[in-house]
Amino acid sequence: MRSVLTLCLTLAFTTPVFAQQSEGAEPPMTLNRMAEILTILDPDVQFGPNQVELTIADIPVLIVVDVAADRMRAMVPIRNAEGMTEDEIMRVLQANFDTALDARYAVAHGKLWATYIHPLSPLEREQLISGLAQTVNIAQTYGGLYSGGAAQFGNGDSTDLQRQLIEDLLNKGQEL
């Protein structure tokens, strides 16, 4: 009985993954590929050495790329970290656990940031677009819902409004 259960679980969890990887595998993310995607999201994107500046939903986004370390980090400054109350710090930590999703709140250089960090080469187009939208969403919802916008518990209007940014960016990304 145990071997049949093991076989069923193995087939259930591995077969779709192998099928998805072989049929729809994307090429590794490169700086050029990322530039193409980001240019569609914001035609006024600015490229610099190891960094990119763009605007999404009127929010400035900075992306830092380290090809040698195979990492990328998207960041949106939110506020000075100095002066954050214990309750505010607790709330961003709670959000990192449940509502921020793939984006995260972080503190660096005296500022509170919305961030999305991912290995560069395995990053897929939709992951990049969704991660950027979630980063903008948690910056926009700081002090309120603290939400990445892709999934949220509850039946309010906020879920649809926040999810709309992700859908809009994914639709732009379809042009590739």
Side-chain angles (χ1 to χ4, degrees), residues 18-163:
F18 289 132
Q20 182 181 12
Q21 288 175 349
S22 62
E23 290 175 15
E26 291 187 19
M29 184 64 70
T30 63
L31 293 177
N32 286 338
R33 186 160 178 256
M34 181 181 278
E36 289 174 3
I37 295 166
L38 297 177
T39 300
I40 289 172
L41 300 181
D42 178 8
D44 296 323
V45 63
Q46 299 292 311
F47 297 96
N50 300 322
Q51 72 178 37
V52 180
E53 294 179 35
L54 70 155
T55 302
I56 297 175
D58 296 324
I59 301 289
V61 179
L62 173 65
I63 300 174
V64 178
V65 180
D66 186 338
V67 175
D70 195 32
R71 303 295 291 181
M72 64 78 60
R73 175 178 306 182
M75 304 176 289
V76 173
I78 298 173
R79 62 165 286 179
N80 285 328
E82 190 175 315
M84 286 181 69
T85 67
E86 187 175 317
D87 287 344
E88 290 169 323
I89 294 168
M90 179 62 76
R91 186 63 195 103
V92 297
L93 291 173
Q94 289 169 328
N96 279 349
F97 185 81
D98 58 14
T99 57
L101 305 171
D102 297 325
R104 291 286 180 264
Y105 292 102
V107 174
H109 303 288
K111 291 191 183 300
L112 176 67
W113 299 83
T115 65
Y116 174 69
I117 302 166
H118 199 283
L120 181 63
S121 63
L123 183 63
E124 295 182 357
R125 179 183 53 83
E126 285 193 16
Q127 288 175 314
L128 173 61
I129 293 169
S130 178
L132 292 173
Q134 289 176 47
T135 303
V136 169
N137 274 333
I138 68 168
Q140 289 178 323
T141 62
Y142 172 78
L145 294 174
Y146 299 86
S147 174
Q152 189 171 330
F153 187 76
N155 293 327
D157 295 333
S158 297
T159 300
D160 291 340
L161 294 172
Q162 294 166 352
R163 179 69 192 165

